[in-house]
């Protein structure tokens, strides 16, 4: 990729068995009121019809598609407007969501990085409002409130509000930052801190490593995204979440047992209240 482009937002979407959602994702990004962006769709060897679904969706919007080979696999470029470009990146092997996002981060040309999961929903003015907020706060890392959605991404009325400012120590006791709401300014936050570690709950680990380095995250307490939650039992997922957060405290952050237990109590309480 070429040098960083000022004002350009690089939207990174890991694609894995997302055939049912990806056409809507592309349409949603194309509908953003902020129109200086590139969309990096990183297919992690889905094994389903995700790639075909991407190409079919782009055939409705794209101009002058061009192909190219990359060491990561295969990459195709689709021009959807003067400052709207979509890259379909097909990895040569499956490595998981963290590696897929890192592939996008490494190839991104934009000043800003925005993360989006294929099954989540953005408000049409999401980028416009967050970039305005980011400039107002002179922040390098912002996130927003969001709402839980049902299996069809229909809003449920359960909103997760966010604090105005989040520091490292405050972040340890709450996982309030939702990946799909994050925007990062690479002119402020170094590239290496944005790359996600290969651990479970890699997104939370990434926010912590940025905050641990002395940066603050600024929360825009306005619902700009919907978190789609499939209708299924969450009991096993809750147990996994408990194990993941504990492992992050002990292995990733190197906290003592006492400190881990302290932050865990507050994390568990807030996690429970967020889902009631």
């Amino acid at each position: 990729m070429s040098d960083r482009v000022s004002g350009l937002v690089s939207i990174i979407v890991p694609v894995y068995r997302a055939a049912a959602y990806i056409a809507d994702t592309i349409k949603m990004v194309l509908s953003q009121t902020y129109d200086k962006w590139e969309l990096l769709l990183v297919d992690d060897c889905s094994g389903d019809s995700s790639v075909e679904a991407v190409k079919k969706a782009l055939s409705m919007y794209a101009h002058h598609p061009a192909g190219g080979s990359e060491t990561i696999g295969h990459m195709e470029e689709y021009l959807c407007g003067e400052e709207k470009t979509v890259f379909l990146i097909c990895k040569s092997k499956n490595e998981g969501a963290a590696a897929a996002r890192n592939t996008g981060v490494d190839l991104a040309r934009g000043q800003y990085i925005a993360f989006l999961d294929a099954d989540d929903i953005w408000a049409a003015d999401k980028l416009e409002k967050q970039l305005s907020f980011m400039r107002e706060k002179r922040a390098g890392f912002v996130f927003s409130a969001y709402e839980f959605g049902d299996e069809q991404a229909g809003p449920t009325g359960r909103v997760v509000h966010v604090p105005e400012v989040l520091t490292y120590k405050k972040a340890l006791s709450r996982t309030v930052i939702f990946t799909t709401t994050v925007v990062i300014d690479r002119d402020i936050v170094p590239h290496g801190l944005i790359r996600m570690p290969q651990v479970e709950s890699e997104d939370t680990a990434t926010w912590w490593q940025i905050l641990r380095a002395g940066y603050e995250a600024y929360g825009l307490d306005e619902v700009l995204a919907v978190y789609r939650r499939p209708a299924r039992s969450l009991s096993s997922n809750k147990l996994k979440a408990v194990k993941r957060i504990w492992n992050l405290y002990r292995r990733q952050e190197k906290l003592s047992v006492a400190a881990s237990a302290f932050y865990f109590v507050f994390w568990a309480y807030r996690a429970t209240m967020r889902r009631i």
Side-chain angles (χ1 to χ4, degrees):
M1 292 286 195
S2 59
D3 292 337
R4 191 175 304 169
V5 179
S6 179
L8 180 71
V9 181
S10 296
I11 304 164
I12 299 170
V13 180
V15 178
Y16 186 71
R17 298 181 180 176
Y21 310 114
I22 200 65
D24 288 339
T25 304
I26 293 169
K27 182 179 180 180
M28 182 176 64
V29 172
L30 284 163
S31 299
Q32 284 292 300
T33 55
Y34 185 87
D35 58 6
K36 188 175 182 179
W37 52 257
E38 62 178 9
L39 174 61
L40 296 99
L41 302 169
V42 186
D43 182 75
D44 196 26
C45 296
S46 290
D48 67 350
S49 58
S50 291
V51 171
E52 291 76 11
V54 168
K55 292 182 178 182
K56 181 179 179 180
L58 289 174
S59 69
M60 300 171 60
Y61 312 107
H63 307 282
H64 310 111
S69 296
E70 296 285 332
T71 56
I72 56 168
H74 182 75
M75 181 170 68
E76 295 180 3
E77 178 180 354
Y78 297 82
L79 306 179
C80 300
E82 186 176 346
E83 295 183 296
K84 300 178 181 180
T85 308
V86 178
F87 294 96
L88 171 59
I89 302 146
C90 298
K91 298 186 63 173
S92 56
K93 62 179 180 178
N94 174 268
E95 296 179 303
R101 292 192 185 103
N102 288 342
T103 294
V105 169
D106 291 342
L107 292 172
R109 302 175 303 163
Q111 174 185 351
Y112 304 103
I113 295 289
F115 293 106
L116 171 62
D117 284 347
D119 56 346
D120 293 326
I121 306 298
W122 276 358
D125 55 358
K126 188 259 189 193
L127 290 178
E128 181 180 7
K129 285 187 173 179
Q130 283 195 284
L131 291 175
S132 177
F133 177 72
M134 181 173 260
R135 295 178 186 122
E136 175 191 333
K137 298 295 184 180
R138 298 182 181 179
F141 179 3
V142 300
F143 61 106
S144 78
Y146 62 95
E147 186 171 358
F148 285 110
D150 59 22
E151 195 163 7
Q152 284 73 46
T156 63
R158 291 161 57 187
V159 172
V160 176
H161 292 283
V162 297
E164 182 177 351
V165 182
L166 199 60
T167 62
Y168 174 61
K169 287 187 176 181
K170 288 181 179 178
L172 289 174
S173 64
R174 69 202 76 187
T175 50
V176 71
I177 301 177
F178 176 34
T179 306
T180 283
T181 73
V182 168
V183 179
I184 297 172
D185 186 342
R186 295 200 295 167
D187 284 351
I188 297 176
V189 180
H191 177 86
L193 292 179
I194 305 171
R195 299 188 88 255
M196 295 192 172
Q198 295 285 345
V199 297
E200 292 186 322
S201 294
E202 71 282 348
D203 45 0
T204 297
T206 303
W207 319 146
W208 288 358
Q209 73 184 7
I210 293 172
L211 299 175
R212 189 182 344 109
Y215 299 93
E216 293 180 328
Y218 285 77
L220 174 58
D221 195 23
E222 180 176 347
V223 175
L224 297 177
V226 175
Y227 173 26
R228 187 194 304 260
R229 299 179 75 202
R232 61 173 181 264
S233 173
L234 297 177
S235 57
S236 61
N237 291 339
K238 290 177 182 177
L239 180 58
K240 289 178 181 177
V242 166
K243 291 180 178 178
R244 286 197 301 265
I245 198 73
W246 184 259
N247 286 336
L248 285 183
Y249 289 143
R250 297 287 289 131
R251 299 175 184 175
Q252 193 69 16
E253 300 306 307
K254 312 295 184 186
L255 299 179
S256 67
V257 172
S260 297
F262 173 81
Y263 288 116
F264 177 81
V265 169
F266 289 99
W267 171 85
Y269 171 76
R270 290 188 172 101
T272 299
M273 295 303 296
R274 191 165 63 241
R275 285 166 170 78
I276 294 177

